[in-house]
Amino acid sequence: MLPMRASEIAAAVGGTLHGDDVSVTGSVETDSRLVTAGGAFFAMPGEETDGHRFIDAAVAAGAALVVAERPVEQDVPHVLVPAGVEALGSLAAEVIRRVRAAGELTVVGVTGSNGKTTTKNMLQAILEQHGPTVTPVKSFNNEVGAPMTMLRIDASTRYLVLEMGASVEGDIERLTAMSHPDVGVVLKVGLAHAGEFGGIETTARAKTEMVRDLDEAGIAVLNRDDERVRGMAAATRARVVWYGTDAGPADEPTRLWADGIDSTLEGTVATIHRAADGAARSWPLRMRILGEHHVMNALAALTVADALGLPLEPAVEALATMERAERGRMELLEPGGGITVINDAYNASPDSTAAALRALAHMTRQAGRRSIAVLGEMAELGPHAVEEHDRLGRQAVRLRIDRLVVVGTGAKAIHDAAELESSFGQETSFVETAAEAEALLRSELVAGDVVLFKSSNVSGLQALAERIGGL
């Protein structure tokens, strides 16, 4: 973070300073275990514990300032605020304002039901070639995680990439107001978190908030292949730049598009086309990342680079160097014995699970290998849960996945639907726990098998994938 005095922080967050007006030169943390000398500790109530209980630990670690919601007994300068989360966001907004005023900061916001973290990582690989770049750790994209990412910038930062997630309408609006993105990217509108939103149309409205609030000098990078994302063009004052899988109409062409898309167990290929400014160019894209659906994420990242005036050839080359999308996202593991594991169990939605199953079916059919899908619950689907799990069970059969293992009561509808769709039940098994799934897999796996693990993180299948994958 930019160095700031305690009084400046108090003014930025609308709080009251108690104690000396110290200089804060370290990072801002909400976890006392991460506090370093000269930093600030935000003591906030959480779902499982209360940050106020860890002020002693933060002070011992060298915190110069504490921001708290109630009086602090420890002998440390502190700022009292009505709400810690709101104060964190206010401080993040002030830091971005100061860095913008002093340098050449460009802020890129990324939202969508699927693909945010992969696209963020792709943007990091591209943008860091051109200047210091800050991106979220893991998938920090909510009312706490996004401001924490913003607070990591300093005067040298050239690019800030933010994931913008939402649990309810208004979440992305608040993150946009804090960061004022120069470029807003929308990837896809799907049923992820539909249980919280109440339906896909509400999800679409929430994802529209970022491009709606871009100013006239901004750039909205939109997925032309997604009907609901296409509709967002009418909601923004910003300049719209399209990406997709066709060239689009002559009067409003797609900035970058891809064809020749294919994916094998060695990676994913496509041809990227650009015809803007009357100069047609094409580039071969070769990624180690598995799955044809990741070409859309690559197109989004490359379109941002192109819209910012950055050269495309080194951007395409940067994507070729990426080892994986992210840990637990279509991550290829080779434990030996001729078995291949695809760990995609960090998170799951109906769209991402369907894409992963299609990728598994396509890649194994090409390679002549047996496909095994280990599927757990897709969380936060609310009233859509049974229907969407049922649909995926039927899809697994129609894709001719050779073996299906369904883990956990929340996912049982996948197994039930697959049994009904299939002509014989040996192709699908249901187990209650990851431990049972592990025992089953270790008794059945043979050389040549390709095993996909896909679920929401709460199912615990990521750890199982890593054990089977030899990590």
Coordinates of all heavy atoms in Angstrom, one line a residue, residues 271-359:
T271 N -7.0 -20.5 -33.7 CA -6.4 -19.4 -34.5 C -7.1 -18.1 -34.1 O -8.4 -18.0 -34.1 CB -6.5 -19.6 -36.0 OG1 -5.9 -20.9 -36.3 CG2 -5.9 -18.5 -36.8
I272 N -6.4 -17.1 -33.7 CA -6.9 -15.8 -33.3 C -6.9 -14.9 -34.6 O -5.8 -14.7 -35.2 CB -6.1 -15.2 -32.2 CG1 -6.0 -16.2 -31.0 CG2 -6.7 -13.8 -31.8 CD1 -7.3 -16.5 -30.4
H273 N -8.0 -14.2 -34.8 CA -8.1 -13.3 -36.0 C -8.4 -11.9 -35.5 O -9.2 -11.7 -34.5 CB -9.2 -13.8 -36.9 CG -9.1 -15.2 -37.4 ND1 -8.2 -15.5 -38.5 CD2 -9.6 -16.3 -37.1 CE1 -8.3 -16.8 -38.7 NE2 -9.1 -17.3 -37.9
R274 N -7.9 -10.9 -36.2 CA -8.2 -9.5 -36.0 C -8.2 -8.8 -37.3 O -7.3 -8.9 -38.1 CB -7.1 -8.9 -35.1 CG -7.3 -7.4 -34.8 CD -6.1 -6.8 -34.1 NE -6.3 -5.5 -33.5 CZ -6.2 -4.4 -34.2 NH1 -5.8 -4.4 -35.5 NH2 -6.4 -3.2 -33.7
A275 N -9.3 -8.1 -37.5 CA -9.5 -7.4 -38.8 C -9.7 -5.9 -38.6 O -10.1 -5.2 -39.5 CB -10.6 -7.9 -39.6
A276 N -9.5 -5.4 -37.3 CA -9.7 -4.0 -37.0 C -8.7 -3.1 -37.8 O -7.6 -3.5 -38.2 CB -9.5 -3.8 -35.5
D277 N -9.2 -1.9 -38.1 CA -8.4 -0.9 -38.8 C -8.0 -1.3 -40.2 O -7.0 -0.8 -40.7 CB -7.1 -0.6 -38.0 CG -7.4 -0.2 -36.5 OD1 -8.4 0.5 -36.3 OD2 -6.6 -0.6 -35.6
G278 N -8.8 -2.2 -40.8 CA -8.5 -2.6 -42.1 C -7.3 -3.5 -42.4 O -6.9 -3.7 -43.5
A279 N -6.7 -4.0 -41.3 CA -5.4 -4.8 -41.4 C -5.7 -6.1 -40.8 O -5.6 -6.3 -39.6 CB -4.3 -4.1 -40.7
A280 N -6.0 -7.1 -41.7 CA -6.3 -8.5 -41.2 C -5.1 -9.2 -40.8 O -4.0 -9.2 -41.5 CB -7.0 -9.3 -42.3
R281 N -5.1 -9.7 -39.6 CA -4.0 -10.5 -39.0 C -4.5 -11.7 -38.3 O -5.6 -11.7 -37.8 CB -3.2 -9.7 -38.0 CG -2.4 -8.5 -38.6 CD -1.0 -8.9 -39.2 NE -0.3 -9.9 -38.4 CZ 0.6 -9.5 -37.4 NH1 0.8 -8.2 -37.1 NH2 1.3 -10.5 -36.8
S282 N -3.7 -12.8 -38.3 CA -4.0 -14.0 -37.6 C -2.8 -14.5 -36.8 O -1.7 -14.3 -37.2 CB -4.5 -15.1 -38.5 OG -5.7 -14.7 -39.2
W283 N -3.1 -15.1 -35.7 CA -2.0 -15.7 -34.9 C -2.4 -17.1 -34.4 O -3.6 -17.3 -34.0 CB -1.8 -14.9 -33.6 CG -1.3 -13.5 -33.9 CD1 0.0 -13.0 -33.9 CD2 -2.1 -12.3 -34.1 NE1 0.1 -11.7 -34.1 CE2 -1.2 -11.2 -34.3 CE3 -3.4 -12.1 -34.2 CZ2 -1.6 -9.9 -34.6 CZ3 -3.9 -10.8 -34.5 CH2 -3.0 -9.7 -34.7
P284 N -1.5 -18.1 -34.4 CA -1.8 -19.4 -33.8 C -1.7 -19.3 -32.3 O -0.7 -18.8 -31.8 CB -0.8 -20.3 -34.4 CG 0.4 -19.4 -34.7 CD -0.2 -18.0 -35.1
L285 N -2.7 -19.8 -31.6 CA -2.7 -19.8 -30.2 C -2.5 -21.3 -29.7 O -3.3 -22.1 -30.1 CB -4.1 -19.3 -29.6 CG -4.3 -19.4 -28.1 CD1 -3.3 -18.5 -27.4 CD2 -5.7 -19.1 -27.7
R286 N -1.5 -21.5 -28.9 CA -1.3 -22.8 -28.4 C -1.1 -22.7 -26.9 O -0.1 -22.1 -26.4 CB 0.0 -23.4 -29.0 CG 0.0 -23.5 -30.5 CD 1.2 -24.1 -31.1 NE 1.3 -23.9 -32.6 CZ 0.6 -24.7 -33.4 NH1 -0.2 -25.7 -32.9 NH2 0.7 -24.5 -34.7
M287 N -2.0 -23.3 -26.1 CA -2.0 -23.2 -24.7 C -1.8 -24.6 -24.1 O -2.4 -25.5 -24.6 CB -3.3 -22.5 -24.2 CG -3.5 -21.1 -24.7 SD -4.9 -20.3 -23.8 CE -6.3 -21.4 -24.3
R288 N -1.2 -24.6 -22.9 CA -1.1 -25.9 -22.2 C -2.4 -26.1 -21.4 O -2.6 -27.2 -20.9 CB 0.1 -25.8 -21.2 CG 1.4 -25.6 -22.0 CD 2.6 -25.6 -21.0 NE 3.8 -25.1 -21.6 CZ 5.0 -24.9 -21.0 NH1 5.1 -25.3 -19.8 NH2 6.0 -24.5 -21.7
I289 N -3.2 -25.0 -21.2 CA -4.4 -25.1 -20.5 C -5.4 -26.0 -21.2 O -5.6 -25.9 -22.4 CB -5.0 -23.7 -20.3 CG1 -4.0 -22.9 -19.5 CG2 -6.3 -23.8 -19.6 CD1 -4.4 -21.4 -19.4
L290 N -6.0 -26.9 -20.5 CA -6.9 -27.9 -21.1 C -8.4 -27.3 -21.2 O -8.8 -26.6 -20.3 CB -7.0 -29.2 -20.2 CG -5.7 -29.9 -20.0 CD1 -6.0 -31.2 -19.2 CD2 -5.0 -30.3 -21.3
G291 N -9.0 -27.7 -22.3 CA -10.4 -27.3 -22.5 C -10.7 -26.2 -23.5 O -10.1 -25.1 -23.4
E292 N -11.5 -26.6 -24.5 CA -11.9 -25.6 -25.5 C -12.5 -24.3 -24.9 O -12.4 -23.2 -25.5 CB -12.8 -26.2 -26.5 CG -12.2 -27.3 -27.3 CD -13.1 -27.9 -28.4 OE1 -14.2 -27.3 -28.6 OE2 -12.8 -28.9 -29.0
H293 N -13.2 -24.5 -23.8 CA -13.9 -23.3 -23.2 C -12.9 -22.2 -22.8 O -13.3 -21.1 -22.6 CB -14.8 -23.7 -22.1 CG -14.2 -24.6 -21.0 ND1 -13.7 -25.8 -21.2 CD2 -13.9 -24.3 -19.7 CE1 -13.2 -26.3 -20.1 NE2 -13.3 -25.4 -19.2
H294 N -11.7 -22.6 -22.6 CA -10.7 -21.6 -22.1 C -10.3 -20.7 -23.3 O -9.6 -19.6 -23.0 CB -9.5 -22.2 -21.5 CG -9.8 -22.8 -20.1 ND1 -10.3 -21.9 -19.1 CD2 -9.7 -24.0 -19.6 CE1 -10.4 -22.7 -18.0 NE2 -10.1 -23.9 -18.3
V295 N -10.6 -21.0 -24.5 CA -10.3 -20.1 -25.6 C -11.1 -18.8 -25.5 O -10.6 -17.7 -25.8 CB -10.6 -20.8 -27.0 CG1 -10.5 -19.8 -28.1 CG2 -9.6 -22.0 -27.2
M296 N -12.3 -18.9 -24.9 CA -13.1 -17.6 -24.7 C -12.4 -16.8 -23.7 O -12.4 -15.5 -23.8 CB -14.5 -18.0 -24.3 CG -15.3 -18.6 -25.4 SD -15.4 -17.6 -26.9 CE -16.4 -16.2 -26.4
N297 N -11.9 -17.4 -22.6 CA -11.1 -16.6 -21.6 C -9.9 -15.9 -22.3 O -9.6 -14.8 -22.0 CB -10.7 -17.5 -20.5 CG -11.9 -18.1 -19.8 OD1 -13.0 -17.5 -19.7 ND2 -11.7 -19.3 -19.2
A298 N -9.2 -16.7 -23.1 CA -8.0 -16.2 -23.8 C -8.4 -15.0 -24.7 O -7.7 -14.0 -24.7 CB -7.3 -17.3 -24.6
L299 N -9.5 -15.1 -25.4 CA -10.0 -14.1 -26.3 C -10.3 -12.8 -25.5 O -9.9 -11.7 -25.9 CB -11.2 -14.5 -27.0 CG -11.0 -15.3 -28.3 CD1 -12.4 -15.9 -28.8 CD2 -10.4 -14.5 -29.4
A300 N -10.9 -13.0 -24.3 CA -11.2 -11.8 -23.5 C -9.9 -11.1 -23.0 O -9.8 -9.9 -23.1 CB -12.0 -12.2 -22.2
A301 N -8.9 -11.9 -22.6 CA -7.7 -11.3 -22.2 C -6.9 -10.6 -23.3 O -6.4 -9.5 -23.2 CB -6.8 -12.3 -21.5
L302 N -6.9 -11.2 -24.5 CA -6.2 -10.7 -25.6 C -7.0 -9.4 -26.1 O -6.3 -8.5 -26.6 CB -6.2 -11.7 -26.7 CG -5.2 -12.9 -26.5 CD1 -5.4 -14.0 -27.5 CD2 -3.8 -12.4 -26.4
T303 N -8.3 -9.4 -26.0 CA -9.0 -8.2 -26.5 C -8.7 -7.0 -25.6 O -8.7 -5.9 -26.0 CB -10.5 -8.5 -26.5 OG1 -10.8 -9.7 -27.4 CG2 -11.3 -7.4 -27.0
V304 N -8.6 -7.3 -24.3 CA -8.2 -6.2 -23.4 C -6.8 -5.6 -23.8 O -6.7 -4.4 -23.9 CB -8.1 -6.7 -21.9 CG1 -7.5 -5.6 -21.0 CG2 -9.5 -7.0 -21.4
A305 N -5.9 -6.5 -24.1 CA -4.6 -6.0 -24.5 C -4.7 -5.2 -25.8 O -4.1 -4.1 -25.9 CB -3.6 -7.2 -24.7
D306 N -5.4 -5.7 -26.7 CA -5.5 -5.0 -28.0 C -6.2 -3.6 -27.8 O -5.8 -2.6 -28.4 CB -6.3 -5.9 -29.0 CG -6.3 -5.4 -30.4 OD1 -5.2 -5.1 -30.9 OD2 -7.4 -5.2 -31.0
A307 N -7.3 -3.6 -27.0 CA -8.0 -2.4 -26.8 C -7.1 -1.3 -26.1 O -7.3 -0.1 -26.2 CB -9.3 -2.6 -26.0
L308 N -6.1 -1.8 -25.3 CA -5.2 -0.9 -24.6 C -4.0 -0.5 -25.5 O -3.1 0.2 -25.1 CB -4.7 -1.5 -23.3 CG -5.7 -1.7 -22.2 CD1 -5.1 -2.5 -21.0 CD2 -6.3 -0.4 -21.7
G309 N -4.0 -1.0 -26.7 CA -2.9 -0.7 -27.6 C -1.7 -1.5 -27.5 O -0.6 -1.1 -28.0
L310 N -1.8 -2.6 -26.8 CA -0.6 -3.4 -26.6 C -0.4 -4.4 -27.7 O -1.4 -4.9 -28.3 CB -0.7 -4.2 -25.3 CG -0.9 -3.3 -24.0 CD1 -1.1 -4.2 -22.8 CD2 0.3 -2.4 -23.8
P311 N 0.8 -4.8 -28.1 CA 1.0 -5.7 -29.2 C 0.4 -7.1 -28.9 O 0.6 -7.6 -27.9 CB 2.5 -5.7 -29.4 CG 3.1 -5.3 -28.1 CD 2.1 -4.4 -27.5
L312 N -0.2 -7.7 -30.0 CA -0.8 -9.0 -29.7 C 0.1 -10.2 -29.8 O -0.1 -11.2 -29.1 CB -2.0 -9.2 -30.8 CG -3.3 -8.5 -30.4 CD1 -4.3 -8.7 -31.5 CD2 -3.8 -9.1 -29.1
E313 N 1.1 -10.1 -30.6 CA 2.0 -11.3 -30.8 C 2.6 -11.7 -29.4 O 2.6 -12.8 -29.0 CB 3.1 -11.0 -31.8 CG 3.9 -12.2 -32.1 CD 4.7 -12.1 -33.4 OE1 4.4 -11.2 -34.2 OE2 5.6 -12.9 -33.6
P314 N 3.3 -10.7 -28.7 CA 3.8 -11.2 -27.4 C 2.7 -11.5 -26.4 O 2.9 -12.4 -25.5 CB 4.6 -9.9 -26.9 CG 4.1 -8.8 -27.7 CD 3.7 -9.4 -29.0
A315 N 1.5 -11.0 -26.6 CA 0.4 -11.4 -25.7 C 0.0 -12.8 -25.9 O -0.2 -13.6 -25.0 CB -0.8 -10.5 -25.9
V316 N -0.1 -13.2 -27.2 CA -0.4 -14.6 -27.5 C 0.7 -15.5 -27.0 O 0.5 -16.6 -26.4 CB -0.6 -14.8 -29.0 CG1 -0.7 -16.2 -29.4 CG2 -1.8 -14.0 -29.5
E317 N 1.9 -15.1 -27.1 CA 3.1 -15.9 -26.7 C 3.0 -16.0 -25.1 O 3.4 -17.1 -24.6 CB 4.4 -15.3 -27.1 CG 4.6 -15.3 -28.6 CD 5.8 -14.5 -29.1 OE1 6.4 -13.8 -28.2 OE2 6.2 -14.6 -30.2
A318 N 2.6 -15.0 -24.4 CA 2.5 -15.1 -23.0 C 1.6 -16.2 -22.5 O 1.8 -16.9 -21.6 CB 2.1 -13.7 -22.4
L319 N 0.4 -16.3 -23.3 CA -0.5 -17.3 -22.9 C 0.0 -18.7 -23.1 O -0.3 -19.7 -22.4 CB -1.8 -17.1 -23.7 CG -2.6 -15.8 -23.5 CD1 -3.9 -15.8 -24.2 CD2 -2.8 -15.5 -22.0
A320 N 0.9 -18.9 -24.1 CA 1.5 -20.2 -24.4 C 2.4 -20.6 -23.3 O 2.7 -21.8 -23.1 CB 2.3 -20.1 -25.7
T321 N 2.9 -19.7 -22.5 CA 3.9 -20.0 -21.4 C 3.2 -20.5 -20.1 O 3.8 -21.0 -19.2 CB 4.8 -18.8 -21.1 OG1 4.0 -17.8 -20.5 CG2 5.5 -18.3 -22.3
M322 N 1.8 -20.2 -20.0 CA 1.1 -20.6 -18.8 C 1.1 -22.1 -18.6 O 0.6 -22.8 -19.4 CB -0.3 -20.0 -18.8 CG -0.3 -18.4 -18.8 SD -2.0 -17.8 -18.9 CE -2.7 -18.3 -17.3
E323 N 1.5 -22.5 -17.4 CA 1.5 -24.0 -17.1 C 0.1 -24.5 -16.9 O -0.3 -25.6 -17.2 CB 2.3 -24.2 -15.9 CG 3.8 -24.0 -16.1 CD 4.5 -25.1 -16.9 OE1 3.9 -26.1 -17.1 OE2 5.6 -24.8 -17.4
R324 N -0.8 -23.6 -16.3 CA -2.2 -24.0 -15.9 C -3.0 -22.8 -15.7 O -2.5 -21.7 -15.6 CB -2.2 -24.9 -14.7 CG -1.6 -24.2 -13.4 CD -1.4 -25.1 -12.3 NE -0.8 -24.4 -11.1 CZ -0.4 -25.0 -10.0 NH1 -0.6 -26.3 -9.9 NH2 0.1 -24.3 -9.0
A325 N -4.3 -23.0 -15.8 CA -5.2 -21.9 -15.6 C -5.1 -21.4 -14.1 O -5.0 -20.2 -13.8 CB -6.6 -22.3 -15.9
E326 N -5.1 -22.3 -13.2 CA -5.0 -22.1 -11.7 C -5.0 -23.4 -11.1 O -5.6 -24.4 -11.6 CB -6.2 -21.2 -11.3 CG -6.4 -21.0 -9.8 CD -5.5 -19.8 -9.3 OE1 -4.9 -19.1 -10.1 OE2 -5.3 -19.7 -8.1
R327 N -4.5 -23.5 -9.9 CA -4.5 -24.8 -9.2 C -6.0 -25.2 -9.0 O -6.8 -24.4 -8.5 CB -3.8 -24.6 -7.8 CG -3.7 -25.9 -7.0 CD -2.8 -25.8 -5.9 NE -2.7 -27.0 -5.1 CZ -1.9 -27.2 -4.1 NH1 -1.1 -26.3 -3.7 NH2 -1.9 -28.4 -3.5
G328 N -6.3 -26.4 -9.3 CA -7.7 -26.9 -9.2 C -8.6 -26.5 -10.3 O -9.8 -26.7 -10.2
R329 N -8.1 -25.9 -11.4 CA -8.9 -25.5 -12.5 C -8.3 -26.2 -13.8 O -7.3 -25.7 -14.3 CB -9.0 -24.0 -12.7 CG -9.9 -23.4 -11.6 CD -9.9 -21.9 -11.8 NE -10.9 -21.2 -11.1 CZ -10.8 -20.8 -9.8 NH1 -9.7 -20.9 -9.2 NH2 -11.8 -20.2 -9.2
M330 N -8.9 -27.3 -14.2 CA -8.5 -28.0 -15.4 C -6.9 -28.2 -15.3 O -6.2 -28.1 -16.3 CB -8.8 -27.3 -16.7 CG -10.3 -27.3 -17.0 SD -11.2 -28.9 -17.0 CE -10.7 -29.5 -18.6
E331 N -6.5 -28.6 -14.1 CA -5.1 -28.8 -13.8 C -4.7 -30.3 -14.2 O -5.3 -31.2 -13.6 CB -4.8 -28.5 -12.4 CG -3.4 -28.7 -12.0 CD -3.1 -28.4 -10.5 OE1 -4.1 -28.4 -9.7 OE2 -2.0 -28.3 -10.1
L332 N -3.7 -30.4 -15.0 CA -3.3 -31.7 -15.5 C -2.3 -32.3 -14.5 O -1.2 -31.7 -14.2 CB -2.7 -31.7 -16.9 CG -2.4 -33.0 -17.5 CD1 -3.6 -33.8 -17.8 CD2 -1.6 -32.8 -18.8
L333 N -2.5 -33.5 -14.0 CA -1.6 -34.2 -13.1 C -1.3 -35.6 -13.6 O -2.2 -36.3 -14.1 CB -2.3 -34.3 -11.7 CG -2.7 -33.0 -11.0 CD1 -3.4 -33.3 -9.7 CD2 -1.5 -32.1 -10.7
E334 N -0.1 -36.0 -13.5 CA 0.4 -37.3 -14.0 C 1.0 -38.1 -12.9 O 2.2 -38.0 -12.6 CB 1.4 -37.1 -15.2 CG 0.8 -36.3 -16.4 CD 0.0 -37.2 -17.3 OE1 -0.2 -38.4 -17.0 OE2 -0.5 -36.6 -18.3
P335 N 0.2 -38.9 -12.2 CA 0.7 -39.6 -11.0 C 1.6 -40.8 -11.3 O 2.2 -41.4 -10.5 CB -0.6 -40.1 -10.3 CG -1.6 -40.2 -11.3 CD -1.3 -39.1 -12.3
G336 N 1.6 -41.2 -12.6 CA 2.3 -42.4 -13.0 C 1.4 -43.5 -13.3 O 0.2 -43.5 -13.0
G337 N 2.0 -44.6 -13.7 CA 1.1 -45.8 -14.0 C 0.2 -45.6 -15.2 O -0.7 -46.4 -15.4
G338 N 0.5 -44.6 -16.1 CA -0.3 -44.4 -17.2 C -1.7 -43.8 -17.0 O -2.5 -43.7 -17.9
I339 N -1.9 -43.2 -15.8 CA -3.1 -42.6 -15.4 C -3.0 -41.0 -15.5 O -1.9 -40.5 -15.1 CB -3.5 -42.9 -14.0 CG1 -3.8 -44.4 -13.9 CG2 -4.7 -42.1 -13.5 CD1 -4.0 -45.0 -12.5
T340 N -4.0 -40.4 -16.0 CA -4.0 -38.9 -16.1 C -5.1 -38.4 -15.2 O -6.3 -38.9 -15.3 CB -4.2 -38.4 -17.5 OG1 -3.0 -38.9 -18.3 CG2 -4.3 -36.9 -17.6
V341 N -4.9 -37.4 -14.4 CA -5.9 -36.7 -13.6 C -6.1 -35.3 -14.0 O -5.1 -34.6 -14.2 CB -5.4 -36.8 -12.1 CG1 -6.4 -35.9 -11.2 CG2 -5.4 -38.2 -11.6
I342 N -7.3 -34.9 -14.2 CA -7.7 -33.5 -14.5 C -8.4 -33.0 -13.2 O -9.5 -33.3 -12.9 CB -8.5 -33.4 -15.7 CG1 -7.8 -34.0 -16.9 CG2 -8.9 -31.9 -16.0 CD1 -8.7 -34.0 -18.2
N343 N -7.7 -32.1 -12.5 CA -8.2 -31.5 -11.3 C -9.0 -30.2 -11.6 O -8.3 -29.2 -11.8 CB -7.1 -31.3 -10.2 CG -7.6 -30.7 -9.0 OD1 -8.8 -30.6 -8.7 ND2 -6.7 -30.3 -8.1
D344 N -10.3 -30.3 -11.6 CA -11.1 -29.1 -11.9 C -12.1 -28.9 -10.7 O -13.2 -28.5 -10.9 CB -11.8 -29.2 -13.2 CG -12.3 -27.9 -13.8 OD1 -11.7 -26.8 -13.4 OD2 -13.3 -27.9 -14.5
A345 N -11.6 -29.2 -9.5 CA -12.6 -29.3 -8.4 C -12.5 -28.1 -7.4 O -13.0 -28.1 -6.3 CB -12.3 -30.6 -7.6
Y346 N -11.9 -27.0 -7.9 CA -11.8 -25.8 -7.1 C -13.2 -25.2 -6.9 O -13.6 -24.7 -5.9 CB -10.8 -24.8 -7.6 CG -10.8 -23.5 -6.7 CD1 -9.9 -23.5 -5.6 CD2 -11.5 -22.4 -7.0 CE1 -9.9 -22.4 -4.8 CE2 -11.5 -21.3 -6.2 CZ -10.7 -21.3 -5.1 OH -10.6 -20.2 -4.3
N347 N -14.0 -25.2 -8.1 CA -15.3 -24.6 -8.1 C -16.1 -25.2 -9.2 O -15.5 -25.8 -10.1 CB -15.3 -23.1 -8.2 CG -16.4 -22.4 -7.5 OD1 -17.4 -23.1 -7.1 ND2 -16.4 -21.1 -7.4
A348 N -17.4 -25.1 -9.1 CA -18.2 -25.7 -10.2 C -19.6 -25.0 -10.3 O -20.2 -24.6 -9.3 CB -18.5 -27.2 -9.9
S349 N -20.0 -24.8 -11.5 CA -21.4 -24.3 -11.8 C -21.9 -25.2 -12.9 O -21.2 -26.0 -13.5 CB -21.3 -22.9 -12.3 OG -20.7 -22.8 -13.6
P350 N -23.2 -25.2 -13.2 CA -23.7 -26.0 -14.3 C -23.0 -25.8 -15.6 O -22.6 -26.7 -16.3 CB -25.2 -25.5 -14.4 CG -25.5 -25.1 -13.0 CD -24.3 -24.5 -12.5
D351 N -22.7 -24.5 -16.0 CA -22.0 -24.3 -17.2 C -20.5 -24.8 -17.2 O -20.1 -25.4 -18.2 CB -21.9 -22.7 -17.5 CG -23.3 -22.2 -17.9 OD1 -24.1 -23.0 -18.4 OD2 -23.5 -21.0 -17.7
S352 N -19.8 -24.5 -16.1 CA -18.4 -25.0 -16.1 C -18.3 -26.5 -16.0 O -17.4 -27.1 -16.6 CB -17.6 -24.3 -14.9 OG -18.1 -24.8 -13.7
T353 N -19.2 -27.1 -15.3 CA -19.2 -28.6 -15.3 C -19.5 -29.2 -16.6 O -18.9 -30.2 -17.0 CB -20.2 -29.1 -14.2 OG1 -19.9 -28.5 -12.9 CG2 -20.1 -30.6 -14.0
A354 N -20.5 -28.6 -17.3 CA -20.9 -29.1 -18.6 C -19.7 -29.0 -19.6 O -19.4 -29.9 -20.4 CB -22.1 -28.4 -19.2
A355 N -19.0 -27.9 -19.5 CA -17.8 -27.6 -20.3 C -16.7 -28.6 -20.0 O -16.0 -29.2 -20.9 CB -17.3 -26.2 -20.2
A356 N -16.5 -28.9 -18.7 CA -15.4 -29.9 -18.3 C -15.8 -31.3 -18.8 O -14.9 -32.0 -19.3 CB -15.3 -29.8 -16.8
L357 N -17.0 -31.7 -18.8 CA -17.4 -33.0 -19.2 C -17.3 -33.1 -20.8 O -16.8 -34.1 -21.3 CB -18.9 -33.3 -18.9 CG -19.2 -33.6 -17.4 CD1 -20.7 -33.6 -17.1 CD2 -18.5 -34.9 -17.0
R358 N -17.6 -32.0 -21.5 CA -17.4 -32.0 -22.9 C -15.9 -32.2 -23.3 O -15.5 -32.9 -24.2 CB -18.0 -30.8 -23.6 CG -19.5 -30.7 -23.6 CD -20.0 -29.6 -24.5 NE -19.6 -28.3 -24.1 CZ -20.3 -27.5 -23.3 NH1 -21.5 -28.0 -22.8 NH2 -19.9 -26.3 -22.9
A359 N -15.1 -31.4 -22.5 CA -13.6 -31.5 -22.7 C -13.1 -32.9 -22.5 O -12.3 -33.4 -23.2 CB -12.9 -30.5 -21.9

